[in-house]
Amino acid sequence: MADIDLFKAHEVMSGSYGTCMMNGKVVAEVFEWKAEIKIDRKDIDLPGGQKGKKIVGASGEGTLKRYKLNSNWTKDFMKIAKGQEVYFELYLEVNDPDAAGAEAIRITQCWNSDGFEFSAKSGEEITEEMKFGFIAKNLQLVERV
């Protein structure tokens, strides 16, 4: 059997970065992120006793992680503790020079889903994680190579 190279190891895309912006300024550089579109479906009865599903809605959710560099992030999100909503924009990118492509998405009007926590451990860098939500149509593909 002949050896078949489907792809080379260096062609596998590696993650890049993201930024979180509030009021036009970057408040966080993100080192890990995930954004998902969830689809809501409704059961539909078809002729002959068959069942199908129809899309009736969509929503967005995700998670981001960042290193703590300053208190700007905390200051902006303290409004949540007072019952005020805080909206932000995300620009998330995968751009690996060894891979055959790049992707970037922009999500506007994101919100903090679960609040956030304060924590630290002596001698270790501080990271912060936040779950966020968004309206699915607010996710835009801004770059695809």
Side-chain angles (χ1 to χ4, degrees), residues 65-76:
K65 294 181 184 179
R66 75 171 196 115
Y67 291 114
K68 186 172 183 79
L69 302 177
N70 55 48
S71 295
N72 292 341
W73 169 281
T74 305
K75 183 176 77 175
D76 288 330

Side-chain angles (χ1 to χ4, degrees), residues 46-50:
L46 301 171
Q50 300 295 304

